[in-house]
Amino acid sequence: MKKTAYFCMEFAIDQALKTYAGGLGFLAGSHFRAAKRLNQPLVGVSILWSYGYYDQVRDVNGDMEVKYIRKYYEFLEDLNFKFSIKINNRDVWVKVYKLEEDVFNTCPIYFLTTDIPENDDFGREISYRLYDANNLLHVAQEILLGKGGYIAIKELEKDVELFHMNEPHSLPLVFKMLSEYNLSYVKEHVVFTTHTPLPEGNEVQDLNFLNSMNFFEDVSLEVAKKLGGEPFNYTACALRVSKKANAVSKRHREVCEEMWRGLKDRCEIIAITNAQDRHYWQDSIIKEAAEKYDIDLLRERKLELKEILFEEVADQTGKIFKKNRLTVVWARRFVPYKRPYILLYDERKLRELIKKKKIQVIWAGKPHPADSKMIATFNYIVSKTRSLKGAAILTGYELKLSKMLKQGSDIWLNTPKLKHEASGTSGMTASMNASIHMSTLDGWHVEWAKMYPDDSFTIGDGVRDDDEYVANCIYSLLSDVSDLYDTEAWWIKACNCVNHIVEYFDAERMAKEYAEKLYK
């Protein structure tokens, strides 16, 4: 593969480095761990968020509260390298730090910050908070990542041949390149990964506003309009300026082809299905027990991991969970299409499942700090679980809690609306830890269910998708699964799940596919 610079707004490398919000960051982290083991010439570019995404805590009433706590990282190397870029017609100074390969055993990553004394309040605030809700700052962050990242790479990594935009946030790098080279050159040196097929993942902005922010460098409005349209569509532009693009599952590629069928002059879109790093996520005893089909050892270790998780549940909520009960976890970003509320669609049926079928349920996940509706949904679940024995919702969904939930759960519940989930990866790492995936037919689950139909549970028929139908399918499935739980058949199914998931959904396969299909 060619030496490649990988531009991404977030990287989830380690719990100690809070530069991520969710799945996009988890994916980037797994990619960079696997690429390091494979000795691939990959280097990362991101932003050093002074306050991270946000700290999810509880207020005096126990509801979710957003806190911004400044982060400090002694393990990042100060390169003593600064430069200025134009953002919103002012000079903004950029300082570069480096995460060396040996700190967390990853490929190296350069982190940019504007939170330095040389800048005014606006300049400093650009790198304060990941995915800032203020649109002015949001676009400034994109310019910092794209334009600033390009300048840093050209100065610090002389032999980079390819620039990979993971999501179109870093699109200003393309216009920086266009100010130096022609479009044909850019198309030979840029590749692109598209994710969420929803509007949030396919950003549209006013063309003149972007121009006033210096988004297009000194490229003419006429050229910008030809590439991205008016209003300016980031994904459309990325597809027109890239050598090749990829969707992140086979189903997602089908959705993308449908979405962009009418877009002229776009590049080819291939599928490289997401994966996660088993070396980071998988419990070693679970792996050993499953490989030997040692059911007693697998059960013993799973109960130990449940105890660790349930200590966290008790610490946060004052609820005592029982390790011999089927434990269902719904944990991911709180966004409407993922339907975090679905288990509570018919509260009576859920109560019956918990009481009669001896099921326990845990929710976790972060809404965007400015998404009042999804914060209200989170707090609605808080209010319902207070009086619901055997149910809890946890705050602080970051790498540490995510691993705890995946290793301590029995069922990993995934409920996206059909054709909305690009891939999703949390169920992969749960499956690596004998937590069986239960999902609607979307994203990566379509491939998993086809490969090994007996290693997971599929919700619904993949056609009907209304909440009532999906909820009732879940209640029926959980009722049946609870009867199977803790039998010999259950633990054999769990062993199969652990052994089969890594055959295709491990990050080393994904990293090799990027090298062979995108980075050549």
Side-chain angles (χ1 to χ4, degrees), residues 13 17 32 36 43 75-79 97-111 157:
I13 298 295
L17 182 58
F32 268 60
K36 167 63 177 172
V43 59
F75 49 80
L76 294 179
E77 183 187 353
D78 183 349
L79 298 180
Y97 288 84
K98 187 179 183 183
L99 178 67
E100 295 285 6
E101 298 179 58
D102 59 353
V103 180
F104 298 118
N105 201 30
T106 66
C107 290
I109 304 170
Y110 292 101
F111 287 98
E157 296 281 342

Short mmCIF file of all heavy atoms in Angstrom, two decimals, residues 13 17 32 36 43 75-79 97-111 157:
data_model
loop_
_atom_site.label_atom_id
_atom_site.label_comp_id
_atom_site.label_asym_id
_atom_site.label_seq_id
_atom_site.Cartn_x
_atom_site.Cartn_y
_atom_site.Cartn_z
N ILE A 13 -8.70 5.60 21.07
CA ILE A 13 -7.48 4.79 21.20
C ILE A 13 -7.41 4.12 22.57
O ILE A 13 -7.13 2.94 22.70
CB ILE A 13 -6.23 5.68 20.98
CG1 ILE A 13 -6.23 6.26 19.56
CG2 ILE A 13 -4.96 4.90 21.26
CD1 ILE A 13 -6.11 5.24 18.46
N LEU A 17 -7.41 8.80 26.65
CA LEU A 17 -7.34 9.81 25.59
C LEU A 17 -8.75 10.07 25.06
O LEU A 17 -9.25 9.34 24.22
CB LEU A 17 -6.41 9.34 24.47
CG LEU A 17 -6.18 10.29 23.29
CD1 LEU A 17 -5.60 11.63 23.76
CD2 LEU A 17 -5.26 9.66 22.26
N PHE A 32 -6.29 1.57 13.62
CA PHE A 32 -4.90 1.98 13.88
C PHE A 32 -4.14 0.98 14.73
O PHE A 32 -2.92 0.88 14.63
CB PHE A 32 -4.88 3.39 14.47
CG PHE A 32 -4.74 4.44 13.40
CD1 PHE A 32 -5.69 4.56 12.41
CD2 PHE A 32 -3.64 5.28 13.36
CE1 PHE A 32 -5.55 5.50 11.40
CE2 PHE A 32 -3.48 6.23 12.35
CZ PHE A 32 -4.45 6.33 11.37
N LYS A 36 -0.97 -1.12 12.87
CA LYS A 36 0.34 -1.14 13.53
C LYS A 36 0.90 -2.57 13.58
O LYS A 36 2.07 -2.80 13.26
CB LYS A 36 0.22 -0.56 14.95
CG LYS A 36 1.42 -0.79 15.86
CD LYS A 36 2.67 -0.12 15.35
CE LYS A 36 3.81 -0.31 16.34
NZ LYS A 36 5.09 0.17 15.79
N VAL A 43 -0.71 6.94 8.87
CA VAL A 43 -0.53 7.98 9.88
C VAL A 43 -1.84 8.72 10.05
O VAL A 43 -2.56 8.97 9.08
CB VAL A 43 0.63 8.94 9.49
CG1 VAL A 43 0.36 9.59 8.14
CG2 VAL A 43 0.86 9.98 10.55
N PHE A 75 1.26 12.17 27.91
CA PHE A 75 1.89 11.19 27.02
C PHE A 75 1.97 11.64 25.56
O PHE A 75 2.52 10.93 24.73
CB PHE A 75 1.18 9.83 27.12
CG PHE A 75 -0.32 9.91 26.98
CD1 PHE A 75 -0.92 10.02 25.74
CD2 PHE A 75 -1.14 9.88 28.12
CE1 PHE A 75 -2.29 10.09 25.61
CE2 PHE A 75 -2.51 9.94 28.00
CZ PHE A 75 -3.10 10.05 26.74
N LEU A 76 1.38 12.79 25.22
CA LEU A 76 1.50 13.30 23.85
C LEU A 76 2.79 14.11 23.71
O LEU A 76 3.15 14.89 24.59
CB LEU A 76 0.30 14.18 23.50
CG LEU A 76 -1.06 13.49 23.42
CD1 LEU A 76 -2.14 14.51 23.09
CD2 LEU A 76 -1.06 12.36 22.39
N GLU A 77 3.46 13.93 22.59
CA GLU A 77 4.73 14.63 22.36
C GLU A 77 4.47 16.01 21.75
O GLU A 77 3.79 16.13 20.72
CB GLU A 77 5.63 13.83 21.43
CG GLU A 77 6.99 14.48 21.22
CD GLU A 77 7.84 13.79 20.17
OE1 GLU A 77 7.43 12.71 19.69
OE2 GLU A 77 8.90 14.34 19.82
N ASP A 78 5.02 17.03 22.38
CA ASP A 78 4.95 18.39 21.84
C ASP A 78 6.03 18.53 20.78
O ASP A 78 7.22 18.46 21.08
CB ASP A 78 5.16 19.40 22.98
CG ASP A 78 5.04 20.84 22.52
OD1 ASP A 78 4.98 21.09 21.30
OD2 ASP A 78 5.01 21.74 23.39
N LEU A 79 5.62 18.72 19.53
CA LEU A 79 6.58 18.79 18.43
C LEU A 79 7.19 20.17 18.25
O LEU A 79 8.05 20.37 17.38
CB LEU A 79 5.89 18.37 17.12
CG LEU A 79 5.34 16.93 17.08
CD1 LEU A 79 4.68 16.66 15.73
CD2 LEU A 79 6.43 15.91 17.35
N TYR A 97 0.68 18.20 18.19
CA TYR A 97 1.18 17.18 19.11
C TYR A 97 1.16 15.83 18.39
O TYR A 97 0.44 15.65 17.41
CB TYR A 97 0.32 17.09 20.37
CG TYR A 97 0.46 18.25 21.32
CD1 TYR A 97 -0.26 19.41 21.12
CD2 TYR A 97 1.33 18.18 22.41
CE1 TYR A 97 -0.13 20.50 21.98
CE2 TYR A 97 1.47 19.25 23.28
CZ TYR A 97 0.74 20.40 23.06
OH TYR A 97 0.88 21.46 23.92
N LYS A 98 1.93 14.89 18.91
CA LYS A 98 2.00 13.57 18.27
C LYS A 98 1.80 12.46 19.29
O LYS A 98 2.41 12.47 20.37
CB LYS A 98 3.36 13.39 17.57
CG LYS A 98 3.45 12.11 16.74
CD LYS A 98 4.81 12.02 16.06
CE LYS A 98 4.91 10.79 15.16
NZ LYS A 98 6.27 10.66 14.55
N LEU A 99 0.94 11.52 18.95
CA LEU A 99 0.83 10.28 19.71
C LEU A 99 1.79 9.28 19.06
O LEU A 99 1.55 8.82 17.94
CB LEU A 99 -0.60 9.73 19.68
CG LEU A 99 -0.80 8.40 20.43
CD1 LEU A 99 -0.61 8.58 21.93
CD2 LEU A 99 -2.16 7.79 20.12
N GLU A 100 2.88 9.00 19.77
CA GLU A 100 3.88 8.08 19.22
C GLU A 100 3.34 6.64 19.22
O GLU A 100 2.46 6.29 20.01
CB GLU A 100 5.17 8.15 20.03
CG GLU A 100 5.89 9.50 19.95
CD GLU A 100 6.61 9.72 18.62
OE1 GLU A 100 6.47 8.87 17.70
OE2 GLU A 100 7.32 10.74 18.50
N GLU A 101 3.91 5.83 18.36
CA GLU A 101 3.41 4.47 18.17
C GLU A 101 3.47 3.61 19.42
O GLU A 101 2.61 2.75 19.63
CB GLU A 101 4.21 3.80 17.05
CG GLU A 101 4.08 4.48 15.70
CD GLU A 101 4.91 3.80 14.62
OE1 GLU A 101 4.69 2.60 14.39
OE2 GLU A 101 5.76 4.47 14.01
N ASP A 102 4.49 3.82 20.24
CA ASP A 102 4.70 2.91 21.37
C ASP A 102 3.83 3.22 22.59
O ASP A 102 3.81 2.44 23.55
CB ASP A 102 6.17 2.90 21.78
CG ASP A 102 6.69 4.29 22.18
OD1 ASP A 102 5.94 5.28 22.03
OD2 ASP A 102 7.85 4.38 22.63
N VAL A 103 3.09 4.33 22.59
CA VAL A 103 2.28 4.68 23.78
C VAL A 103 1.13 3.69 23.96
O VAL A 103 0.94 3.11 25.03
CB VAL A 103 1.75 6.13 23.69
CG1 VAL A 103 0.91 6.46 24.92
CG2 VAL A 103 2.90 7.12 23.55
N PHE A 104 0.34 3.49 22.90
CA PHE A 104 -0.77 2.55 22.96
C PHE A 104 -0.69 1.49 21.86
O PHE A 104 -1.68 0.83 21.55
CB PHE A 104 -2.11 3.31 22.84
CG PHE A 104 -2.35 4.29 23.96
CD1 PHE A 104 -2.48 5.64 23.69
CD2 PHE A 104 -2.44 3.86 25.28
CE1 PHE A 104 -2.71 6.56 24.71
CE2 PHE A 104 -2.65 4.77 26.30
CZ PHE A 104 -2.79 6.11 26.02
N ASN A 105 0.50 1.35 21.27
CA ASN A 105 0.74 0.36 20.22
C ASN A 105 -0.19 0.56 19.03
O ASN A 105 -0.92 -0.33 18.60
CB ASN A 105 0.60 -1.06 20.77
CG ASN A 105 1.32 -2.09 19.91
OD1 ASN A 105 2.33 -1.77 19.28
ND2 ASN A 105 0.81 -3.31 19.88
N THR A 106 -0.15 1.76 18.47
CA THR A 106 -0.93 2.12 17.29
C THR A 106 -0.01 2.76 16.25
O THR A 106 1.13 3.11 16.56
CB THR A 106 -2.02 3.16 17.63
OG1 THR A 106 -1.37 4.39 18.02
CG2 THR A 106 -2.93 2.68 18.74
N CYS A 107 -0.52 2.95 15.04
CA CYS A 107 0.17 3.81 14.10
C CYS A 107 0.18 5.23 14.67
O CYS A 107 -0.68 5.58 15.49
CB CYS A 107 -0.53 3.80 12.75
SG CYS A 107 -0.37 2.25 11.86
N PRO A 108 1.13 6.07 14.28
CA PRO A 108 1.23 7.41 14.87
C PRO A 108 0.04 8.30 14.46
O PRO A 108 -0.51 8.13 13.37
CB PRO A 108 2.54 7.96 14.30
CG PRO A 108 2.75 7.19 13.03
CD PRO A 108 2.19 5.84 13.28
N ILE A 109 -0.31 9.23 15.34
CA ILE A 109 -1.40 10.17 15.06
C ILE A 109 -0.96 11.58 15.44
O ILE A 109 -0.43 11.80 16.54
CB ILE A 109 -2.68 9.81 15.85
CG1 ILE A 109 -3.12 8.37 15.56
CG2 ILE A 109 -3.82 10.78 15.51
CD1 ILE A 109 -4.23 7.87 16.48
N TYR A 110 -1.18 12.52 14.53
CA TYR A 110 -0.92 13.94 14.81
C TYR A 110 -2.22 14.59 15.28
O TYR A 110 -3.27 14.45 14.65
CB TYR A 110 -0.40 14.65 13.56
CG TYR A 110 0.96 14.19 13.15
CD1 TYR A 110 1.13 13.28 12.10
CD2 TYR A 110 2.11 14.64 13.81
CE1 TYR A 110 2.39 12.84 11.72
CE2 TYR A 110 3.37 14.21 13.44
CZ TYR A 110 3.50 13.30 12.40
OH TYR A 110 4.76 12.87 12.04
N PHE A 111 -2.14 15.31 16.39
CA PHE A 111 -3.29 16.01 16.95
C PHE A 111 -3.06 17.52 16.88
O PHE A 111 -2.04 18.02 17.36
CB PHE A 111 -3.53 15.59 18.41
CG PHE A 111 -4.11 14.20 18.55
CD1 PHE A 111 -3.29 13.12 18.82
CD2 PHE A 111 -5.47 13.99 18.41
CE1 PHE A 111 -3.82 11.84 18.95
CE2 PHE A 111 -6.02 12.72 18.53
CZ PHE A 111 -5.19 11.64 18.81
N GLU A 157 5.54 14.66 7.45
CA GLU A 157 5.57 13.33 6.83
C GLU A 157 5.78 13.51 5.33
O GLU A 157 4.83 13.52 4.55
CB GLU A 157 4.25 12.58 7.11
CG GLU A 157 3.99 12.26 8.56
CD GLU A 157 4.77 11.06 9.06
OE1 GLU A 157 5.25 10.27 8.23
OE2 GLU A 157 4.90 10.92 10.29
#
